[in-house]
Amino acid sequence: MSKSEQGFPGATARPSTIRPIGVYALSGLATDGDRLYSIDTVRGYLVAIDPQTNNTVILNPYQLEDKDWMGVGGLSLADDTFWFTQDESVFWCDRDTLKPTFFARLPYPADGVAVWDATVYVSSQKSGYIHLFERSSGAKLGKFPQPGIGAETLTVNESGLWVCDRDEQTVYCLNPRTGAIQLSALTPFTSPTGITFYAPDGDGEPTCYVVYADEEPYLRDNPNSESPLELAFRDRTFIHPLHLYVNSDERYTLSNGFLIEISYVEELSQLDAVSLNNVEWRIALPANTQRQRVRQVEPIGHPFTIEEQDGQPVAVFRFDQLQPFQGGLVGWRAIVEMYSLKYFLTPEDIDANLSLPAGFQRYLIDDDELSMETPIIQQAARNGAGRETNVLRKMLRIRNYVYDCLSYGIQPKIDTPDVALARGVASCGEYVGVLLALARLSGIACRTIGRYKCPAHPEYRHLPLEPDFNHVWLEFYVPGVGWLPMESNVDDVIERGPYPQRYFMGLAWYHTELGKGIPFSRLNADDKPEKLSVRHLAINHIRFQILDELMPAAAIAASVNDVKP
């Protein structure tokens, strides 16, 4: 079979990015009627934004003189009053006069604020808590832990207290009384700085909007420089809807996805003259999962058949003979829907009495040079797991231990886990090796997954995007739940944490799931030399194109009932 079509009903495109005019970096987001409100942190302007036209009006145009709004972070609108944070303090003001009035002060900088009936919620990254105050008196009512590690902005509605964490790139919905996480979802862009729900007509389901603020590099034409082009940075801020599908039974959320064309090709280019007969070349295809669905797959260069290997689809190319220095292309092109996935399981959701299913013991052994018998790896497994018995807490503890022990660095080759751990610097593949070894020694079944990430440029459509490196991560198995994803290494926070958990039980839309637990590419032949590998025969080419943005719908869950573990 050379082509496969599998529908994914319910996924539809809906472009609706709001790009306010004349602003630099927005933080905090509120809504009333048909307008959105936010703070431009560079100028301290409170702005009103028309989502239909992007028209932007500055409501406090004299701010540069009195500076009452400089350094403002979170923003909320309750009745006819704006609420905002500034340094360690919380203020409110009448929307007509916009004259700030002091409300409360924290021992640490305040980030976000939200008001619901008689309660004021204030988040503080430095304290690690969301603080509750009585609206009428400013009296402290209590606090509960922040769900993430970053600066968090807030909004609140009938569904709960919504938290937008910049470092986690995650939105949480909390129980407003206890702080318990009711759901979590990944944002499609980095650096989210505010959240609100927009319903201009008052009817129907409101739209969840998230504002983003960051810098982006670009090449600037500088006629005064010896080189006409130079690297520079500019502010990038915009507002985008966050679309959610929540599976409450399985406790995961799907959020904004993209329709992506993926092309993988091996270009025959032998390093040495080799003749091979009766050749079978197997290359893993994109998998169908909770967050990823294959619409179409077809061959590039040479026909293939599709076979199943340990539940994973594989393209099988066959040649009667490969002659010395023969040219050619071997590969596939696929159209895939890829969504962000985030589980909101807690350790209390795990049934400790359940054991691994029959046949899963193979995910506990050293089957890929994991050095599990070496003293350094066995001691690291004991240190990483400690005395923890709950599988979620144990896996997270092992992950954080490995993150503490290793720093990320590109290596000329993949070393075994004992060598990488002793060196203290590892690539993503070496991180995976160490994590697999420690987890398996601790009784946690796990397997490798991945191979590539689509370059994270969701605003670039119909343009060829080529990743700089390949990438792998892993899945670990929780009895009674199934396979859960986990990133291999952390690449954007200071060493020794605290480490984000956005990709612990979660994957972004750009993670491409290929070959779960099986080799990505393998070549067999009657007379194949023992040390000959694919890299001696071919050069690989990987290319992505983002075709459209998609929003998840309830039909997603129904369409993946046949997904195999």
Side-chain angles (χ1 to χ4, degrees), residues 165-182:
D165 190 299
R166 181 167 187 158
D167 291 346
E168 298 279 1
Q169 298 168 28
T170 301
V171 165
Y172 306 87
C173 181
L174 310 184
N175 183 307
R177 293 178 297 276
T178 67
I181 298 176
Q182 300 177 154

Side-chain angles (χ1 to χ4, degrees), residues 26-38:
L26 297 176
S27 178
L29 197 61
T31 184
D32 182 41
D34 61 352
R35 291 294 182 270
L36 296 173
Y37 300 90
S38 189

Side-chain angles (χ1 to χ4, degrees), residues 362-372 377 381 395 398-399 402 406 414 417 428-449 472-477 483-484 486-488 517:
R362 65 192 176 106
Y363 296 113
L364 295 177
I365 64 175
D366 187 342
D367 60 354
D368 193 22
E369 298 184 6
L370 297 178
S371 309
M372 288 169 57
I377 292 298
M395 192 72 237
I398 291 172
R399 186 203 76 156
V402 172
L406 297 177
I414 301 295
C428 67
E430 291 168 329
Y431 268 85
V432 163
V434 175
L435 287 165
L436 286 173
L438 270 56
R440 290 181 174 183
L441 282 171
S442 302
I444 302 175
C446 49
R447 64 186 182 184
T448 305
I449 187 177
V472 288
W473 56 96
L474 59 83
E475 289 182 328
F476 63 99
Y477 190 83
W483 290 103
L484 299 178
M486 190 184 81
E487 254 292 11
S488 54

Side-chain angles (χ1 to χ4, degrees), residues 506-552:
L507 289 177
W509 61 267
Y510 47 75
H511 286 86
T512 306
E513 297 181 87
L514 301 165
K516 293 170 177 275
I518 64 173
F520 174 72
S521 179
R522 176 167 290 179
L523 186 142
N524 298 307
D526 289 344
D527 43 4
K528 176 187 171 186
E530 182 178 352
K531 295 186 177 181
L532 182 71
S533 67
V534 172
R535 63 187 178 89
H536 295 109
L537 296 175
I539 301 171
N540 63 42
H541 303 272
I542 178 74
R543 186 173 71 188
F544 294 85
Q545 285 194 68
I546 301 174
L547 306 178
D548 210 344
E549 184 172 7
L550 304 169
M551 64 184 205

Side-chain angles (χ1 to χ4, degrees), residues 442-515:
S442 302
I444 302 175
C446 49
R447 64 186 182 184
T448 305
I449 187 177
R451 190 64 179 187
Y452 291 100
K453 293 192 295 187
C454 175
H457 301 297
E459 66 276 23
Y460 296 168
R461 307 291 169 84
H462 301 281
L463 296 175
L465 302 172
E466 298 181 1
D468 294 322
F469 309 102
N470 61 5
H471 185 66
V472 288
W473 56 96
L474 59 83
E475 289 182 328
F476 63 99
Y477 190 83
V478 178
V481 176
W483 290 103
L484 299 178
M486 190 184 81
E487 254 292 11
S488 54
N489 61 282
V490 60
D491 57 3
D492 56 359
V493 298
I494 60 173
E495 295 182 2
R496 304 197 66 82
Y499 303 114
Q501 294 187 34
R502 60 180 177 266
Y503 302 141
F504 180 75
M505 303 190 296
L507 289 177
W509 61 267
Y510 47 75
H511 286 86
T512 306
E513 297 181 87
L514 301 165

Side-chain angles (χ1 to χ4, degrees), residues 253-411:
T253 304
L254 296 175
S255 52
N256 302 45
F258 294 86
L259 184 64
I260 297 176
E261 178 186 283
I262 311 169
S263 299
Y264 182 86
V265 172
E266 294 278 7
E267 175 196 354
L268 292 175
S269 180
Q270 294 185 14
L271 295 178
D272 300 301
V274 177
S275 179
L276 299 174
N277 295 297
N278 194 22
V279 178
E280 181 186 83
W281 196 337
R282 306 174 70 87
I283 303 176
L285 291 166
N288 287 299
T289 71
Q290 288 96 331
R291 55 167 292 272
Q292 179 174 288
R293 295 293 289 179
V294 180
R295 283 193 180 182
Q296 176 180 313
V297 60
E298 59 189 19
I300 293 177
H302 192 82
F304 62 68
T305 58
I306 296 178
E307 295 184 4
E308 189 175 282
Q309 180 178 335
D310 290 340
Q312 304 299 309
V314 176
V316 181
F317 303 84
R318 291 183 171 87
F319 301 86
D320 293 333
Q321 184 181 61
L322 286 181
Q323 299 180 3
F325 301 115
Q326 176 180 338
L329 300 177
V330 177
W332 49 258
R333 169 186 172 272
I335 305 296
V336 185
E337 300 183 15
M338 295 162 55
Y339 296 82
S340 292
L341 165 74
K342 181 65 178 176
Y343 282 87
F344 47 95
L345 291 161
T346 67
E348 291 70 29
D349 296 322
I350 307 306
D351 188 344
N353 297 316
L354 297 177
S355 57
L356 285 175
F360 274 59
Q361 297 300 316
R362 65 192 176 106
Y363 296 113
L364 295 177
I365 64 175
D366 187 342
D367 60 354
D368 193 22
E369 298 184 6
L370 297 178
S371 309
M372 288 169 57
E373 77 290 349
T374 60
I376 187 175
I377 292 298
Q378 292 191 356
Q379 183 61 50
R382 290 191 290 270
N383 294 343
R387 297 183 178 181
E388 186 57 66
T389 58
N390 183 279
V391 64
L392 283 186
R393 284 194 291 256
K394 186 191 293 188
M395 192 72 237
L396 184 60
R397 180 185 169 100
I398 291 172
R399 186 203 76 156
N400 291 345
Y401 174 80
V402 172
Y403 285 2
D404 283 344
C405 292
L406 297 177
S407 299
Y408 181 77
I410 300 296
Q411 304 300 317

Side-chain angles (χ1 to χ4, degrees), residues 137-148:
S137 65
K140 296 180 180 179
L141 299 176
K143 63 183 180 180
F144 42 72
Q146 286 195 169

